[in-house]
């Protein structure tokens, strides 16, 4: 039996499929091939036989295979309950194939000893997969022929070994120790697979195991890709392909042909340091003027994609990559054979929209990062908005960019005491102790293993102190990237809901003295799921904050606040439990009727499904969803009516009013670890609350990379919201510069309000603002906002910038403070001003707001 336990060519043909199960590649069959015999499997892998025997006993006693996989399996498929999707029997290792062939539908195997550990397999049975009801909940089974992005990134391989390394107790409470173990995982993987290749090459050709050598070269290709050494990736993929040719494995050869194209295309982006080489080199569609200067790698990618398509001409994903590669050398559309051409019209801008230049380079905000979070807010109360970002890199420090008020930001991470705050996929801000300074919570462990979060107390002098342990938020460590601050009991102190991956959700009650206690079990919200998004909002206007929880592997939850310390889960009753594979979510009032609506994005990392959606072809997956609040706390789905019935894969996403027309727009930052997952970020303009229209191409905001932390903010205090996107993928080899898109202005009126609570929480989270006035044509209008930082991945300022459209006068402005259940009314409020409003104070206070110019870097080819 081969000792290689990872790195097979098809490990991302199915979502989170095992890297220990398959013998050879299972690339999609071409038209001339007979269909392979397939089955659907779940799998649990544990490191010891004793553990396997205990789990098998639980299964035979009626235990849930899915739940046990999530709790105990060390395979990446644990995140989906051991789900592998459809598997070709011919590709399974002999010992596993024998066990599977002996199983009846629904049966569980005996313990199978493998090089990866001790394995238990369950046969799901025949019949087409679907999304279907399962008793009182919903379970998700994906159609077997959805093609997910093939992986070139190394993230699965490194995370797999990282999870298996022996570690001392409490290791995940120390950020430097987490960093060291991740680095050790990379070294361990290289050592094992390089040793295997060296030993194999010492043998006579007839004594070598072709499948093991292919897998070893493929894994080394992944590991070099993880580190950003794509030349080495190409070398090992080519070596794997040569071994496959000698073993007459046509499907493996074809699979590697595509992956060589992906590797060369990513190498081209790295060599050209996109977008530094040209300000628009990452924007879709890539203009001829923004073509790559170094073109050899792009042309190699084109060659490999064309070779692949000769055998599989209908493969939409490879056609998409071919079109992108042609754009990078300035040869789209004429350089793409007509039968493979994808029209730019798949990403139309249906109406004119101002173009937003990327000004991050001159502002000092174009730092290169892996995936991470972003918060924009005023952290030193000087009237200027600062920027804080984090990185998925467990050895990478967060960054604190101070706004100097000159159009420049200075990196004050060291001065702020944040240089040892490593890793973190997301972060959210709030003044949790009501001292007048904005604090930050950093979230960690998502997609990998549990790690502690960090609550960073703002000391008011430009520095932060990590108070996680003393605040009671360090234990237990969990895997999370999503949380929401909200005052659940209206006592004036912000509480905290944390959504976790396969461990119970947490609801921490703030005692007002700097300590938090998890009350989730008694509150009725301690459900366990693969949670990816959390948002807080009072959807039924009863004065109590509710929570919506977005899960990637089943129905979502809507927790209604009973006002007695408990919550009732009502998603099924209100029919808002989908999409059943979802990610970012938020409450927002998109039509200004005073009732919070609900956005939930689906998450399907599949180029064919996304492209079919754009081309209005039949799809097999869910679209994003918008639930309209009917004005009584019930909801109706309005997705298709609003023009948002599209498949997408956003991780970072947020909303804000870019054109100051008084209606909230949406920006989606697409992201997935494979280097083949290159889809444009997307901007949707809200058309007066009646529909949304895609203006990505017109606005110039459709960067073709991984978008994560997204924030809308008037960062230069000029009266319109700019757009910040923290970009980057899940590996060191997939870093990207952050983007700051400057708003050129739309000529509309606006007002910016900083609310300060007294009896309510000081930063006013949850308060409602309602503005009524008269437009130029004499018609009356109402605009409603809730104080929130926006989406569930990325955070906008808590001060509220409100576009007023054609409003000529604010006749009446009302602030509702839920904690005190009081309302303040102001009349004849001036337009285009910054104001502070204190709870229970009778007058507005005009705020100083230093303005400055954000400058655009000159086009080097102009």
């Amino acid at each position: 039996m081969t000792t290689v336990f990872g790195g097979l060519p098809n490990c991302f043909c199915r979502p989170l499929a095992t890297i220990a199960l398959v013998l050879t590649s299972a690339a999609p069959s071409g038209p001339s091939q007979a269909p392979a015999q397939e089955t659907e499997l779940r799998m649990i892998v544990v490191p010891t036989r004793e553990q396997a025997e205990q789990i098998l006993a639980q299964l035979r006693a009626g235990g849930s295979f899915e739940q046990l996989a999530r709790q105990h399996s060390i395979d990446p498929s644990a995140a989906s309950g051991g789900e592998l999707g459809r598997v070709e029997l011919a590709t399974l290792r002999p010992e596993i194939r024998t066990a599977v062939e002996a199983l009846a539908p629904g049966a569980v195997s005996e313990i199978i000893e493998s090089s990866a550990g001790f394995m238990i397999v369950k046969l799901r049975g025949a019949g087409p997969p679907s999304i279907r009801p399962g008793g009182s909940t919903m379970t998700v089974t994906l159609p077997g022929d959805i093609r997910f992005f093939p992986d070139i990134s190394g993230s699965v391989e490194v995370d797999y070994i990282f999870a298996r390394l022996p570690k001392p107790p409490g290791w995940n409470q120390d950020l430097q120790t987490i960093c060291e173990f991740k680095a050790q995982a990379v070294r361990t993987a290289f050592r094992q697979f390089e040793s295997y290749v060296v030993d194999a090459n010492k043998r006579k050709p007839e004594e070598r195991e072709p499948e093991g050598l292919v897998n070893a070269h493929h894994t080394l290709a992944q590991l070099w890709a993880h580190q950003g050494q794509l030349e080495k990736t190409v070398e090992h993929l080519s070596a794997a392909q040569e071994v496959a040719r000698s073993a007459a494995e046509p499907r493996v050869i074809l699979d590697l042909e595509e992956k060589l194209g992906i590797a060369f295309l990513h190498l081209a982006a790295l060599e050209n340091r996109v977008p530094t080489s040209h300000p628009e080199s990452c924007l879709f569609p890539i203009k001829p003027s923004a073509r790559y200067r170094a073109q050899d790698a792009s042309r190699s990618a084109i060659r490999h994609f064309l070779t692949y398509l000769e055998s599989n001409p209908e493969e939409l994903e490879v056609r998409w990559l071919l079109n992108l590669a042609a754009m990078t050398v300035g040869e789209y559309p004429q350089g793409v054979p007509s039968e493979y051409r994808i029209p730019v019209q798949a990403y139309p801008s249906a109406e004119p929209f101002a173009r937003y230049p990327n000004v991050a380079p001159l502002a000092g905000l174009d730092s290169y990062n892996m995936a991470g979070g972003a918060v924009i807010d005023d952290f030193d109360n000087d009237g200027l908005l600062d920027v804080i970002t984090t990185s998925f890199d467990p050895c990478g420090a967060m960054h604190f960019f101070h706004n100097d008020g000159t159009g420049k930001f200075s990196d004050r991470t060291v001065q702020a005491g944040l240089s040892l705050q490593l890793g973190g996929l997301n972060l959210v801000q709030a003044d949790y102790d009501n001292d007048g300074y904005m604090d930050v919570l950093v979230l960690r462990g998502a997609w990998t293993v549990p790690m502690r979060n960090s609550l960073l107390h703002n000391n008011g002098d430009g520095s932060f102190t990590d108070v996680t342990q003393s605040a009671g938020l360090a234990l237990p460590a969990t895997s999370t990237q999503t949380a929401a601050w909200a005052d659940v009991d209206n006592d004036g102190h912000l509480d905290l809901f944390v959504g976790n991956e396969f461990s119970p959700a947490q609801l921490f009650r703030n005692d007002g003295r700097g300590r938090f206690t998890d009350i989730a079990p008694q509150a009725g919200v301690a459900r366990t799921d693969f949670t990816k998004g959390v948002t807080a909002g009072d959807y039924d206007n009863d004065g109590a904050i509710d929570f919506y929880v977005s899960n990637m592997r089943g129905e979502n939850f809507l927790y209604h606040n009973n006002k007695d310390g408990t919550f009732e889960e009502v998603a099924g009753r209100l029919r808002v439990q989908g999409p059943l594979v979802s990610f970012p979510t938020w409450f927002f009032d998109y039509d200004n009727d005073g009732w919070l609506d609900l956005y939930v994005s689906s998450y399907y990392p599949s180029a064919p499904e996304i492209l079919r959606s754009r081309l209005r072809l039949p799809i097999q997956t869910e679209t994003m969803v918008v639930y309209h609040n009917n004005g009584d706390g019930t909801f109706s789905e309005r997705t298709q009516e609003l023009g948002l019935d599209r498949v997408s894969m956003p991780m970072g996403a947020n909303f804000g009013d870019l054109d100051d027309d008084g209606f909230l727009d949406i920006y989606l930052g697409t992201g997935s670890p494979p280097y083949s997952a290159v889809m444009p970020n997307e901007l949707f303009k809200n058309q007066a609350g009646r529909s949304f229209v895609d203006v990505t191409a017109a606005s110039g905001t459709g960067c073709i990379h991984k978008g994560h932390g997204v924030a809308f903010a008037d960062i230069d205090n000029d009266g319109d919201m700019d757009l910040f996107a923290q970009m980057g993928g899940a590996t060191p080899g997939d870093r990207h510069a952050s983007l700051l898109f400057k708003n050129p202005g739309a000529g509309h009126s606006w007002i910016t309000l900083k609310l300060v609570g007294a009896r309510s929480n000081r930063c006013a989270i949850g308060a409602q603002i309602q503005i009524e006035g008269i437009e130029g044509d004499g018609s009356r209008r109402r605009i409603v906002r809730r104080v929130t930082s926006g989406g569930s991945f990325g955070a906008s300022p808590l001060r509220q910038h409100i576009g007023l459209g054609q409003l000529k006068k604010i006749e009446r402005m009302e602030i509702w403070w839920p904690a005190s259940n009081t309302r303040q009314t102001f009349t004849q409020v001036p337009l285009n001003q910054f104001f502070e409003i204190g709870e229970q104070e009778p007058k507005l206070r005009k705020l100083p707001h230093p303005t400055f110019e954000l400058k655009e870097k000159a086009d080097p080819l102009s």
Side-chain angles (χ1 to χ4, degrees):
M1 183 187 301
T2 177
T3 59
V4 177
F5 61 80
L8 45 151
N10 71 326
C11 67
F12 254 93
C13 289
R14 296 172 296 274
L16 299 174
T18 176
I19 60 172
L21 181 67
V22 182
L23 177 66
T24 58
S25 173
S29 300
S32 62
Q33 294 174 306
Q37 185 181 1
E38 295 182 339
T39 190
E40 292 184 64
L41 298 178
R42 287 189 186 272
M43 183 183 69
I44 297 172
V45 182
V46 292
T48 69
R49 177 173 287 277
E50 181 182 11
Q51 286 178 279
E53 289 172 347
Q54 293 173 352
I55 291 170
L56 185 60
Q58 292 181 64
L59 290 169
R60 288 174 172 167
S64 165
F65 195 101
E66 181 178 1
Q67 191 64 34
L68 289 167
R70 289 172 173 174
Q71 292 174 349
H72 302 291
S73 182
I74 60 174
D75 188 81
S77 63
S80 57
E83 176 70 58
L84 301 178
R86 294 193 180 217
V87 177
E88 294 185 17
L89 289 176
T91 66
L92 299 179
R93 296 186 183 279
E95 72 276 16
I96 302 170
R97 183 169 64 246
T98 299
V100 169
E101 289 175 339
L103 292 177
V108 173
S109 73
E110 299 291 334
I111 296 170
I112 307 166
E113 185 172 355
S114 75
S115 53
F118 295 85
M119 184 184 304
I120 302 169
V121 176
K122 180 177 181 179
L123 182 64
R124 296 195 56 158
S130 61
I131 300 172
R132 57 181 180 267
S136 61
T137 63
M138 303 287 283
T139 58
V140 177
T141 310
L142 301 180
D145 55 349
I146 291 178
R147 192 178 199 268
F148 291 88
F149 289 109
D151 190 34
I152 290 291
S153 73
S155 59
V156 170
E157 286 77 3
V158 171
D159 287 343
Y160 178 76
I161 296 169
F162 176 48
R164 296 188 70 197
L165 289 174
K167 306 175 186 73
W171 69 276
N172 56 9
Q173 292 292 314
D174 184 85
L175 302 181
Q176 185 61 44
T177 300
I178 295 170
C179 162
E180 291 168 359
F181 273 113
K182 194 62 176 281
Q184 182 183 342
V186 175
R187 294 193 300 269
T188 299
F190 270 115
R191 184 170 60 249
Q192 174 166 352
F193 288 99
E194 286 175 342
S195 175
Y196 180 89
V197 170
V198 169
D199 291 344
N201 287 332
K202 290 178 180 177
R203 303 180 195 139
K204 297 177 182 179
E206 62 272 16
E207 295 176 350
R208 297 172 187 166
E209 291 181 305
E211 58 271 14
L213 195 53
V214 167
N215 281 343
H217 276 300
H218 185 274
T219 299
L220 286 169
Q222 296 277 11
L223 295 174
W224 284 116
H226 182 274
Q227 300 302 99
Q229 300 294 317
L230 272 296
E231 301 92 340
K232 289 283 191 179
T233 296
V234 168
E235 176 185 324
H236 281 283
L237 289 175
S238 298
Q241 198 174 48
E242 286 303 310
V243 176
R245 285 196 179 98
S246 68
E249 289 284 354
R251 288 180 298 150
V252 178
I253 297 168
L254 188 62
D255 184 67
L256 291 168
E257 197 70 40
E258 179 186 5
K259 291 186 175 179
L260 277 162
I262 294 166
F264 273 116
L265 186 59
H266 194 73
L267 174 61
L270 294 179
E271 287 180 341
N272 287 276
R273 197 165 172 81
V274 174
T276 303
S277 59
H278 189 284
E280 296 192 344
S281 58
C282 81
L283 301 183
F284 182 85
I286 301 172
K287 297 178 179 179
S289 61
R291 63 188 180 275
Y292 292 179
R293 294 178 178 179
Q295 296 189 356
D296 287 349
S298 288
R299 294 191 181 280
S300 293
I302 290 170
R303 186 175 67 253
H304 284 288
F305 292 143
L306 286 172
T307 300
Y308 180 97
L309 290 168
E310 288 174 4
S311 301
N312 224 349
E314 299 302 318
E315 181 47 61
L316 197 53
E317 177 182 279
V318 181
R319 289 171 56 194
W320 166 255
L321 294 172
L322 172 64
N323 280 256
L324 287 183
M327 289 180 189
T328 67
V329 296
E331 295 178 2
Y332 175 90
Q334 73 279 5
V336 180
S338 59
E339 63 270 28
Y340 303 145
R341 198 174 298 151
I342 295 176
V344 171
Q345 288 74 17
Y347 282 82
S349 279
E351 69 171 48
F353 199 82
R355 195 159 185 89
Y356 284 47
N358 174 28
V359 299
L362 287 184
L365 290 173
D366 62 334
S367 59
Y368 266 69
N369 298 295
M370 289 167 58
V375 165
I376 297 181
D377 218 313
D378 183 359
F379 289 96
D380 54 1
N381 292 338
D382 64 353
L384 296 165
L385 295 174
D386 311 303
V387 180
I388 300 181
T389 64
T390 59
S391 173
F392 191 51
D393 182 358
C395 299
M398 63 192 301
H399 286 280
F400 176 52
F401 296 102
H402 180 263
N403 190 334
D404 296 338
T406 62
K408 304 284 187 181
F409 290 76
S410 56
D411 191 337
R412 294 193 183 175
T413 305
V414 175
Q415 299 93 314
L418 299 175
S419 58
L420 298 181
Q421 288 295 325
L422 309 178
L425 192 53
N426 196 18
L427 67 168
V428 286
Q429 85 276 30
D431 181 4
Y432 77 89
D433 57 353
N434 291 334
D435 67 351
Y437 288 94
M438 206 66 70
D439 313 298
V440 176
L441 175 73
V442 181
L443 300 157
R444 298 188 178 89
W447 305 106
T448 57
V449 296
M451 304 176 191
R452 80 161 173 92
N453 300 323
S454 289
L455 179 61
L456 305 176
H457 177 261
N458 188 333
N459 300 319
D461 60 1
S463 70
F464 294 81
T465 299
D466 189 331
V467 296
T468 318
Q469 287 192 339
S470 61
L473 296 177
L475 294 171
T478 62
S479 295
T480 183
Q481 64 176 42
T482 185
W485 293 98
D487 184 358
V488 300
D489 50 6
N490 284 331
D491 66 351
H493 303 294
L494 286 171
D495 310 301
L496 178 66
F497 191 111
V498 180
N500 295 313
E501 297 177 0
F502 303 127
S503 63
Q506 297 161 298
L507 178 57
F508 293 100
R509 186 179 184 277
N510 185 342
D511 68 359
R513 297 184 296 275
R515 289 283 301 178
F516 292 84
T517 303
D518 187 2
I519 61 169
Q522 55 266 43
V525 298
R527 294 193 175 205
T528 298
D529 216 301
F530 189 36
T531 296
K532 303 307 295 179
V534 173
T535 185
D538 179 9
Y539 74 88
D540 56 353
N541 284 343
D542 68 349
I545 287 291
D546 314 297
F547 292 102
Y548 188 82
V549 178
S550 170
N551 302 312
M552 191 175 279
R553 288 292 182 267
E555 69 177 3
N556 302 324
F557 309 140
L558 176 57
Y559 292 113
H560 177 260
N561 191 330
N562 296 324
K563 301 185 183 181
D564 61 0
T566 68
F567 291 78
E568 179 186 5
E569 205 290 292
V570 296
R573 176 159 57 93
L574 296 182
R575 299 184 179 181
V576 294
Q577 67 268 50
L580 302 182
V581 179
S582 61
F583 205 135
T585 184
W586 57 69
F587 286 110
F588 72 149
D589 186 357
Y590 74 82
D591 57 355
N592 287 321
D593 67 353
W595 293 82
L596 285 175
D597 311 300
L598 179 61
Y599 172 90
V600 198
S601 177
S602 60
Y603 183 79
Y604 288 91
S606 168
E609 291 301 306
I610 292 171
L611 291 167
R612 288 189 189 106
S613 172
R614 299 299 178 275
L615 296 167
R616 292 300 176 182
L617 299 173
I619 59 173
Q620 305 176 82
T621 56
E622 301 164 291
T623 69
M624 62 184 92
V625 172
V626 177
Y627 296 106
H628 178 260
N629 195 317
N630 298 321
D632 56 2
T634 65
F635 295 89
S636 299
E637 186 187 329
R638 296 278 180 86
T639 314
Q640 186 171 9
E641 176 184 328
L642 292 171
L644 290 175
D645 52 332
R646 307 246 299 241
V647 178
S648 190
M649 56 175 198
M651 288 193 175
N654 216 322
F655 60 89
D657 182 4
L658 286 178
D659 55 358
D660 277 343
D661 66 349
F663 293 95
L664 297 169
D665 312 306
I666 294 173
Y667 189 74
L668 305 180
T670 61
S672 184
Y675 291 175
S676 54
V678 279
M679 310 299 294
N681 295 345
E682 299 173 296
L683 177 61
F684 296 93
K685 171 180 164 47
N686 186 335
Q687 295 185 300
R690 295 186 297 268
S691 65
F692 289 82
V693 62
D694 187 335
V695 294
T696 306
S699 64
T701 58
C703 185
I704 314 167
H705 202 77
K706 318 301 173 57
H708 288 87
V710 173
F712 289 70
D714 181 6
I715 209 162
D716 51 1
N717 285 342
D718 67 349
D720 47 50
M721 301 189 85
D722 310 295
L723 178 60
F724 181 83
Q726 198 275 9
M727 308 291 291
T731 66
D734 204 16
R735 299 179 190 273
H736 196 278
S738 293
L739 307 172
L740 176 61
F741 294 109
K742 173 180 168 55
N743 192 327
H748 290 151
S749 300
W750 54 273
I751 191 169
T752 296
L753 302 175
K754 178 181 178 181
L755 304 191
V756 180
R759 180 177 169 186
S760 303
N761 70 89
R762 186 170 180 125
C763 57
I765 289 176
Q768 177 178 280
I769 302 162
Q770 181 168 299
I771 293 172
E772 297 175 4
I774 299 175
E775 296 196 301
D777 61 1
S779 62
R780 301 189 65 82
R781 185 172 178 196
R782 177 175 67 166
I783 298 170
V784 184
R785 294 288 180 271
R786 302 289 179 107
V787 177
T788 172
S789 60
S792 57
F793 203 141
S796 302
L798 290 174
R799 78 180 195 189
Q800 297 297 294
H801 175 89
I802 305 172
L804 302 176
Q806 301 296 328
L807 220 63
K808 299 301 181 184
K809 181 190 297 186
I810 296 177
E811 290 193 325
R812 184 175 183 273
M813 181 168 69
E814 180 183 272
I815 314 297
W816 176 33
W817 301 87
S820 60
N821 195 25
T822 58
R823 299 177 188 269
Q824 290 167 283
T825 302
F826 304 92
T827 58
Q828 307 305 316
V829 179
L831 306 178
N832 305 330
Q833 299 288 335
F834 287 69
F835 291 107
E836 179 176 287
I837 301 176
E839 185 177 12
Q840 301 174 347
E841 293 183 8
K843 294 183 178 180
L844 303 173
R845 186 170 75 87
K846 192 172 181 179
L847 283 177
H849 54 285
T851 61
F852 55 88
E853 183 181 359
L854 289 169
K855 296 182 180 180
E856 180 181 2
K857 188 175 182 180
D859 185 337
L861 299 181
S862 61

